Amino acid sequence: DAGVIQSPRHEVTEMGQEVTLRCKPISGHNSLFWYRQTMMRGLELLIYFNNNVPIDDSGMPEDRFSAKMPNASFSTLKIQPSEPRDSAVYFCASSFHNSPLHFGNGTRLTVT
Amino acid sequence: EDKVVQSPLSLVVHEGDTVTLNCSYEVTNFRSLLWYKQEKKAPTFLFMLTSSGIEKKSGRLSSILDKKELSSILNITATQTGDSAIYLCAVILNTGTASKLTFGTGTRLQVTL
């Protein structure tokens, strides 16, 4: 089992640039979650999908953030334009029904 | 607003000590409480607790849920340096669709020699 795969592992970009984070959930899992982790706020849920459909995006900070899940094996989180306050570790996680979430290793984003 | 609070925020102990980490929650539609351990990368799953008063145990780690007090504790006995990590508590809500987790900010545990 390959686990949840995220790319890139690290991303450094300049303010104003578009950033795309990618996630491949565990095969067979039907729910996918995007979290952001900072020292100040801990792990915050941004958005989650069930069977590829966005269920709750109330955690998405603002319109600069968007997420898609075009199929069961792929999701993206896009930030356009990026800002320094977006710097954080972004985690993708997946689960099957009521099972615990399995997390990817995260993407560390730095916006300068 | 759903809230999960962990205490202490950070803790430094000596190897061999026993530690107790606390988690309390105020949420609507509680389903289960989970504990995760986060070292350098992804949080890894430790326990899922759904019923009150039933202890879950794995080696030197154990956890129990008190639904009356809306809280849980995670105990680590005979701590080792490898236990140094952030311990995260999360609550699963009954959303009817998926297992939405709300996390606390974590307890940072450092075990020294």
Side-chain angles (χ1 to χ4, degrees):
Chain A
D1 185 355
V4 176
I5 299 172
Q6 289 187 246
S7 65
R9 294 286 301 278
H10 300 275
E11 176 80 47
V12 180
T13 191
E14 288 184 346
M15 181 173 143
Q17 296 298 306
E18 177 180 296
V19 175
T20 299
L21 312 181
R22 296 174 177 79
C23 175
K24 178 177 164 49
I26 291 173
S27 177
H29 281 191
N30 63 336
S31 298
L32 183 141
F33 303 78
W34 282 101
Y35 282 87
R36 175 171 69 176
Q37 187 176 39
T38 60
M39 288 287 290
M40 293 298 294
R41 300 171 70 94
L43 267 167
E44 302 172 277
L45 178 65
L46 301 176
I47 184 171
Y48 75 97
F49 296 83
N50 193 50
N51 295 324
N52 312 340
V53 176
I55 302 299
D56 184 350
D57 65 354
S58 58
M60 297 285 259
E62 44 198 273
D63 291 346
R64 298 184 297 106
F65 285 68
S66 63
K68 291 183 181 177
M69 191 165 187
N71 57 62
S73 58
F74 184 66
S75 177
T76 58
L77 177 69
K78 190 175 288 189
I79 309 172
Q80 165 64 16
S82 58
E83 297 182 3
R85 62 190 166 123
D86 302 331
S87 298
V89 180
Y90 290 81
F91 284 102
C92 175
S94 69
S95 72
F96 178 70
H97 290 303
N98 296 329
S99 69
L101 267 61
H102 294 258
F103 284 82
N105 283 331
T107 294
R108 183 175 293 277
L109 173 65
T110 303
V111 183
T112 61
Chain B
E1 186 186 331
D2 297 323
K3 198 161 57 171
V4 179
V5 178
Q6 292 185 245
S7 64
L9 288 181
S10 66
L11 192 55
V12 180
V13 300
H14 289 115
E15 204 172 42
D17 288 350
T18 293
V19 297
T20 298
L21 311 183
N22 301 285
C23 176
S24 63
Y25 57 90
E26 287 179 33
V27 301
T28 52
N29 296 318
F30 174 88
R31 182 195 290 169
S32 303
L33 185 144
L34 283 74
W35 285 96
Y36 283 81
K37 176 182 181 182
Q38 185 177 24
E39 296 175 86
K40 290 183 181 163
K41 295 179 183 172
T44 54
F45 171 74
L46 294 174
F47 298 113
M48 183 158 95
L49 305 159
T50 304
S51 301
S52 232
I54 298 174
E55 186 183 53
K56 293 264 179 113
K57 207 167 161 61
S58 174
R60 295 176 295 101
L61 276 67
S62 63
S63 184
I64 196 161
L65 175 67
D66 186 338
K67 286 165 101 170
K68 212 185 236 183
E69 295 295 325
L70 307 184
S71 66
S72 172
I73 58 170
L74 175 68
N75 278 322
I76 309 174
T77 58
T79 51
Q80 301 171 358
T81 54
D83 296 326
S84 298
I86 298 173
Y87 290 83
L88 296 162
C89 170
V91 169
I92 296 181
L93 308 179
N94 268 323
T95 63
T97 50
S99 300
K100 176 180 173 179
L101 262 67
T102 298
F103 280 86
T105 51
T107 292
R108 184 180 293 274
L109 173 66
Q110 186 179 349
V111 182
T112 62
L113 290 169

